[in-house]
Amino acid sequence: MRWSYSIGKIRGTELRVHVTFFLLLIWIAAGAWATQGPQAATTSVLFILAVFACVVLHEFGHATMAARFGVKTPDITLLPIGGLARLERIPENPRQEILIALAGPAVNVVIWLLLTGLLGAATRLGDLQSLENASQDFWGRLALVNFLLVAFNMIPAFPMDGGRVFRAVLSIFMDRIKATELAARTGQIIAFLFAFWGLTGGNPILVLIAVFIFFAAGAESSDAVMRGLAHRAKARDAAITTFQTLAPDATLEMAAQAILHSSQSEFPVLAADGRLVGVLTRARVLSHPEAEHRAELVSTVMIEDVPTVTLETGMDAVLNALAAGSAPIVAVLDRAGRLVGFINRENIGEWIILTRR
């Protein structure tokens, strides 16, 4: 995700923080300082950090359960509205999807039990109005937040945890694509209700959550359609086979000329022996417009880690490779290992439109 920064890696999953999260901390600190003083500001920031520590544990609950089913989690990103665990794929087995979805809230239940059982924290829904008050019991507020995280995440607003459980249950009784479309429409209706509630109640965070749910539900629905079509297709069906390539020792000036005279967004980089060594994107060339960069070599700015498949590889595997890697393409090789084409996200979108006609 753009504007997010890595703060470490835990069991192969990179933990990232979006820049807007720091803006949230500043906003919380400034508000508490203005109303209650510096000590309240410090307490408020510590409370927000504790809340997001619980959010991180929530997301790692999803990641840990997903790993049991062979699904990796490349990264988890912290946003002002919560956490986002990016799984390589969502299992199509309803039982597995339900267990992964429930693993996150289950972590918050455990935290709530520890806070109330060991520390004696009281969970009173009446304290909800004073949740931001730094003078109130720290552990009690944290226990209440974990209780609310469980309740909120289990709302059947796809793609939230409750929405994923809803979709998985529906897919037991109907086609997965239809189940996803129904769950997505339900999620978008709930998003409208969230937005109305947030706007009338003066809660901007709730409005942001509503916007996220609305667009994420649509994206997940499109992904489900794509996955359904992918079951019946191979890489050869969607591969771009007419394209220009660049050499590693070509300059960025030469790459710029190639961009000007073609519609390609990605240029495979081939060694002298025809071996694929990377890919250069239009965005990377345009990010070096200064004259002093024109003589730089393509090899210095290209993306080296490019996943590869064969012509007979199923589109399921192609989609997984695109989701898991940092490269914008999947290279398609023939039996001799020569590059014969590549697949990018834009081309997959076009393939979906043409396939569904």
Side-chain angles (χ1 to χ4, degrees):
M1 182 178 290
R2 294 184 63 183
W3 300 103
S4 63
Y5 302 92
S6 175
I7 59 174
K9 184 174 286 191
I10 302 174
R11 294 194 303 181
T13 297
E14 190 174 34
L15 184 60
R16 305 182 67 84
V17 179
H18 198 268
V19 66
T20 51
F21 175 76
F22 298 107
L23 297 179
L24 173 66
L25 290 180
I26 295 172
W27 179 47
I28 293 294
W33 189 303
T35 57
Q36 296 175 279
Q39 184 175 352
T42 302
T43 302
S44 295
V45 169
L46 290 176
F47 179 72
I48 293 298
L49 292 176
V51 168
F52 274 88
C54 296
V55 170
V56 170
L57 293 174
H58 173 110
E59 299 301 333
F60 271 103
H62 292 310
T64 301
M65 183 61 72
R68 293 187 58 184
F69 302 120
V71 179
K72 296 180 180 179
T73 306
D75 56 65
I76 292 173
T77 303
L78 291 181
L79 300 159
I81 60 174
L84 180 63
R86 184 171 64 91
L87 305 184
E88 283 184 340
R89 59 183 175 85
I90 301 297
E92 296 190 4
N93 181 304
R95 174 182 169 274
Q96 294 179 359
E97 182 173 18
I98 289 173
L99 290 174
I100 292 173
L102 292 178
V107 171
N108 295 114
V109 170
V110 172
I111 295 173
W112 177 79
L113 290 173
L114 291 174
L115 290 172
T116 55
L118 296 181
L119 299 179
T123 304
R124 294 183 292 266
L125 292 179
D127 294 338
L128 187 59
Q129 298 296 327
S130 59
L131 194 59
E132 298 177 359
N133 190 343
S135 64
Q136 298 296 322
D137 177 52
F138 187 96
W139 301 117
R141 288 189 294 149
L142 190 61
L144 178 58
V145 166
N146 277 276
F147 179 84
L148 294 174
L149 283 174
V150 175
F152 187 75
N153 275 282
M154 291 312 298
I155 294 173
F158 188 79
M160 291 170 59
D161 298 337
R164 292 197 180 280
V165 172
F166 180 49
R167 191 265 297 272
V169 172
L170 287 176
S171 65
I172 296 175
F173 305 101
M174 63 179 69
D175 177 79
R176 184 175 174 83
I177 295 178
K178 291 182 179 179
T180 303
E181 290 176 339
L182 178 56
R185 284 197 296 270
T186 303
Q188 289 178 328
I189 291 171
I190 294 175
F192 272 115
L193 297 177
F194 280 171
F196 178 77
W197 186 12
L199 289 171
T200 56
N203 190 331
I205 297 296
L206 195 57
V207 175
L208 289 175
I209 292 173
V211 172
F212 169 78
I213 291 174
F214 184 86
F215 287 105
E220 289 263 1
S221 181
S222 298
D223 183 71
V225 172
M226 183 167 53
R227 294 278 177 177
L229 294 172
H231 290 322
R232 307 188 298 269
K234 298 185 183 297
R236 65 165 66 250
D237 298 321
I240 298 170
T241 55
T242 302
F243 54 89
Q244 288 183 255
T245 64
L246 294 169
D249 57 356
T251 63
L252 290 188
E253 174 65 27
M254 297 169 64
Q257 291 301 315
I259 287 175
L260 289 173
H261 294 92
S262 77
S263 59
Q264 281 180 231
S265 296
E266 300 89 12
F267 293 83
V269 181
L270 303 182
D273 59 1
R275 178 173 49 87
L276 178 71
V277 294
V279 61
L280 181 67
T281 65
R282 178 186 294 262
R284 290 213 170 189
V285 175
L286 295 179
S287 66
H288 296 77
E290 297 84 3
E292 59 265 26
H293 293 298
R294 293 178 182 173
E296 290 185 17
L297 300 182
V298 164
S299 58
T300 63
V301 296
M302 70 180 184
I303 300 171
E304 297 183 16
D305 187 17
V306 180
T308 61
V309 298
T310 68
L311 287 166
E312 298 304 315
T313 300
M315 281 298 294
D316 282 329
V318 173
L319 294 175
N320 291 339
L322 271 175
S326 58
I329 70 167
V330 171
V332 182
L333 310 179
D334 62 15
R335 292 182 179 179
R338 296 185 298 266
L339 180 71
V340 294
F342 65 88
I343 301 172
N344 59 21
R345 292 178 177 85
E346 180 182 359
N347 194 50
I348 286 180
E350 295 170 348
W351 170 73
I352 290 173
I353 293 172
L354 295 173
T355 303
R356 294 195 75 186
R357 287 190 304 174

